[in-house]
Amino acid sequence: MMKNMAMRCKLMLFGIYGTVFLSVFCGCTDKTSSFRPGAVWADTDGVPINAHGGGIYSENGTYYWFGEYKTEGRAGNTAQVGVSVYSSVDLYNWDNRGIALQVNKTDSLSDIIQGCIMERPKVIFNKKTGLYVMYFHLELRGQGYNTARTGIAVSKNVIGPYRYLKSLRPNAGIMPDGSYNDSMDYLLRDLSKGQMARDMTLFVDDDGKAYHIYASEENTTLHIAELTDDYLGYTGRYQRFFIGRYMEAPTLFKRDGCYYFIGSGCTGWAPNAARSARATSIWGPWQELGNPCRGENAELTFGAQSTYVLHVPEKDLYIFMADRWTPANPIDARYVWLPVTFEDGKPVIEWRETWKYQL
Ligand code: DGJ
């Protein structure tokens, strides 16, 4: 009897210590079942998710979150590792799937040599070529934010490895559609070498046409540029929008046939008030709708900056994804994900400490 008791106690202790050991040392965690904007968000290994300025591509019920892999200290604002990718089936629990696009660590002539700047990666799939296509904002190493280029990489598999193809300034030598009444100083300055392309997103419309939306003209003005059928270049059709409004961190999504934009003002890593807009054609006219955020700290987008709006059609859900940057230690930047609702056709983002989507 005593022997049995002792054995039971031993087993219990073993169980408790085993669980503590596994969760502390192996990083195993309980399943997540809600969003907690601004809190540390661990992946299924218990390690904080490292996918900043990210975007999501979904396929067959699985979501793939691509983002900037940040490291510790100021150097972590440059690309030391590359673009990371995580996958999830419920949007709460994310498996680390590794580095989708690695920086080059040996060839100092490579555009994506370690120490360059790779920001805001977005991935789309091209049905014609069967390739996954990644666009990102690229700054060549050692040149600050002056080169303002678009990087393009491709992969046969969604999680990679992605093969870096090229970088360029969009639409060299081509004038945009639209009126020429506004100031065009930077546009004309850059006409021959191509337009600056910094903060960016990609959008694929229902007809399969894809668009690159990027902060251009020294961040004064956004451009929407149509991509070629293989998504590997530009058709030459592009337009300026929000001219002179200094917007960045663009997101673009569609609801009930209308196009919506949510972005930010231009204050470096510091947060500012978000902006929103709506149009019935992607080419505009775009009507500005003001700051969609509501609640405490709404005038600073809850301390964050937009990066993507994810549409989950099965749940009629739109999720505003944003980054709370921490430039002194970039790896510690947090994610703010909040639901987007609509009032009189305007997007509204209300602060919530914690939330779940309705199944
Ligand atoms: C704000 C942008 O949105 C970020 O992606 C990054 O480029 C910082 N500016 C750099 O200051």
Side-chain angles (χ1 to χ4, degrees), residues 119-120 145 199 248 268-269 305:
E119 290 181 342
R120 300 184 177 273
Y145 278 87
D199 277 15
E248 54 179 12
W269 297 113
Q305 187 185 31

Side-chain angles (χ1 to χ4, degrees), residues 68-130:
E68 304 157 27
Y69 186 98
K70 301 275 196 191
T71 54
E72 283 179 359
R74 287 265 166 204
N77 291 307
T78 62
Q80 300 299 320
V81 176
V83 174
S84 52
V85 56
Y86 292 78
S87 66
S88 172
V89 290
D90 62 8
L91 297 168
Y92 299 127
N93 298 282
W94 292 90
D95 294 328
N96 182 352
R97 306 299 297 270
I99 301 302
L101 175 65
Q102 306 260 4
V103 293
N104 188 309
K105 291 197 177 157
T106 50
D107 177 6
S108 61
L109 294 177
S110 164
D111 287 355
I112 58 165
I113 181 74
Q114 189 174 37
C116 68
I117 292 172
M118 290 164 94
E119 290 181 342
R120 300 184 177 273
K122 305 287 178 290
V123 168
I124 53 179
F125 178 68
N126 188 277
K127 285 187 187 143
K128 291 198 170 118
T129 62

Side-chain angles (χ1 to χ4, degrees), residues 101 111-112 131-136 150-155 162-168 230-233:
L101 175 65
D111 287 355
I112 58 165
L131 292 176
Y132 296 89
V133 182
M134 180 190 291
Y135 274 53
F136 56 95
T150 300
I152 305 175
V154 291
S155 171
Y162 282 75
R163 183 167 54 90
Y164 174 71
L165 276 189
K166 59 184 172 183
S167 81
L168 73 166
D230 60 7
Y231 299 168
L232 300 180

